[in-house]
Amino acid sequence: MPSRVAGTGSYLPQRIVTNDELARRVATSDEWIRTRTGICQRHVAAPDERTSDLALGAATGALAAASLKPADVDLIIVATTTPDIVFPSTACILQAKLGAAGGPAFDVQAVCSGFVYALAIADRMVSGGLARNALVVGAEIYSHILDWEDRSTCVLFGDGAGAVVLVPSDEPGILSAHLHADGNYKDILCVPGQVKNGRVAGIPFVRMDGSAVFKFAVKVLAEVAHEALTANRRTTADIDWLIPHQANIRIMDATAKKLGVPLSRVVSTVDKHANTSAASIPLALDAGVRDGRIREGQHVMLVGVGGGFTWGSVYLRW
């Protein structure tokens, strides 16, 4: 049977760091950050919070929205670049915290495209009969991998989690998914560090070539959205809501312009959340659902791009 989204949820850490607060730590200003990125603030996890804790908050909200209990979940996929530990997976840790043991649980690592990748996988597993009620979470604590003295990166990211529940449906909700990657671009956005012989080897912080990322992101986001429209014999007029990865308002606006989608039909949370990597799309999706913008019968285009480089789209009927 095809699958549909039955519920959404989100979780944001309590602490908010404003641009003005950052300006007291690095050579920047609120105006500099806002005009270049659209970001006004970001949430930062508490010292004792882990990615699985954020995922738990989002998952609980999504299950409540879907009127399901943790025991009803038989598949958990967590998209994250910042797992609690090397292993076991954050999904297994989340499974234990939910009390939903038994079904498969695993992480997907596709950086900022992670949620799109995870949603596509979950859809295939539900529609193929390998799972019935799937919990898909994007969760990140990027504050752990930022150099807080590097103005070019530390102003861009935030922490948070978003989740959806997929269930079988008589009518398809997930209309199609399209995933891509090109490892030749691996160095323009990366964390080139690793744990080796009990020590950190390399650089354990985000490194980014901002100009190269911008050009690549706008190109592939528009292309993968058109790929989804073509597969479904639709046009951009059939996109009721565009939810791009919330990386930077300039990337988002340029993508919408390239697609010919009015900015009034773009769901944006980047001003409040900053770039939360794999959590950004489900956080924005949940915001659009809960404030009533996204309504039954509408078509929603999710497009993500991230380090790897990875990119993809999921076209939904709500």
Side-chain angles (χ1 to χ4, degrees), residues 184-249:
N184 290 306
Y185 294 91
K186 66 186 185 304
D187 296 325
I188 66 174
L189 177 58
C190 59
V191 177
Q194 60 178 303
V195 176
K196 187 175 182 181
N197 300 322
R199 298 173 181 243
V200 174
I203 300 170
F205 300 124
V206 174
R207 289 292 179 263
M208 181 175 66
D209 180 341
S211 176
V213 169
F214 181 93
K215 292 174 185 176
F216 188 89
V218 173
K219 176 179 179 293
V220 298
L221 287 175
E223 288 177 351
V224 81
H226 278 299
E227 182 180 0
L229 293 172
T230 299
N232 291 279
R233 298 181 180 179
R234 300 276 180 169
T235 69
T236 52
D238 297 306
I239 300 175
D240 292 300
W241 295 103
L242 174 66
I243 305 182
H245 168 50
Q246 311 281 305
N248 177 313
I249 197 63

Side-chain angles (χ1 to χ4, degrees), residues 104-309:
F106 57 91
D107 289 356
V108 168
Q109 214 282 46
V111 198
C112 304
S113 306
F115 180 77
V116 170
Y117 269 56
L119 189 59
I121 295 167
D123 169 59
R124 291 303 176 93
M125 292 183 72
V126 171
S127 62
L130 295 175
R132 183 164 181 85
N133 300 318
L135 175 63
V136 184
V137 186
E140 303 281 16
I141 300 184
Y142 257 57
S143 57
H144 288 177
I145 56 172
L146 293 176
D147 179 353
W148 288 96
E149 295 182 359
D150 178 9
R151 181 181 70 169
S152 68
T153 56
C154 75
V155 303
L156 299 176
F157 295 93
D159 303 336
V164 302
V165 173
L166 283 187
V167 299
S169 173
D170 292 331
E171 296 292 330
I174 308 291
L175 300 179
S176 68
H178 310 269
L179 307 177
H180 301 278
D182 189 341
N184 290 306
Y185 294 91
K186 66 186 185 304
D187 296 325
I188 66 174
L189 177 58
C190 59
V191 177
Q194 60 178 303
V195 176
K196 187 175 182 181
N197 300 322
R199 298 173 181 243
V200 174
I203 300 170
F205 300 124
V206 174
R207 289 292 179 263
M208 181 175 66
D209 180 341
S211 176
V213 169
F214 181 93
K215 292 174 185 176
F216 188 89
V218 173
K219 176 179 179 293
V220 298
L221 287 175
E223 288 177 351
V224 81
H226 278 299
E227 182 180 0
L229 293 172
T230 299
N232 291 279
R233 298 181 180 179
R234 300 276 180 169
T235 69
T236 52
D238 297 306
I239 300 175
D240 292 300
W241 295 103
L242 174 66
I243 305 182
H245 168 50
Q246 311 281 305
N248 177 313
I249 197 63
R250 289 182 173 181
I251 292 176
M252 296 162 63
D253 288 355
T255 300
K257 183 177 180 181
K258 198 159 189 176
L259 286 171
V261 174
L263 295 181
S264 60
R265 287 198 274 134
V266 178
V267 179
S268 174
T269 58
V270 70
D271 59 328
K272 297 180 179 65
H273 302 164
N275 180 350
T276 53
S277 189
S280 80
I281 290 176
L283 278 169
L285 177 62
D286 184 55
V289 170
R290 291 183 184 271
D291 66 20
R293 277 178 288 176
I294 298 174
R295 301 188 301 276
E296 185 176 352
Q298 291 184 329
H299 290 83
V300 182
M301 179 71 75
L302 312 179
V303 287
V305 61
F309 245 64

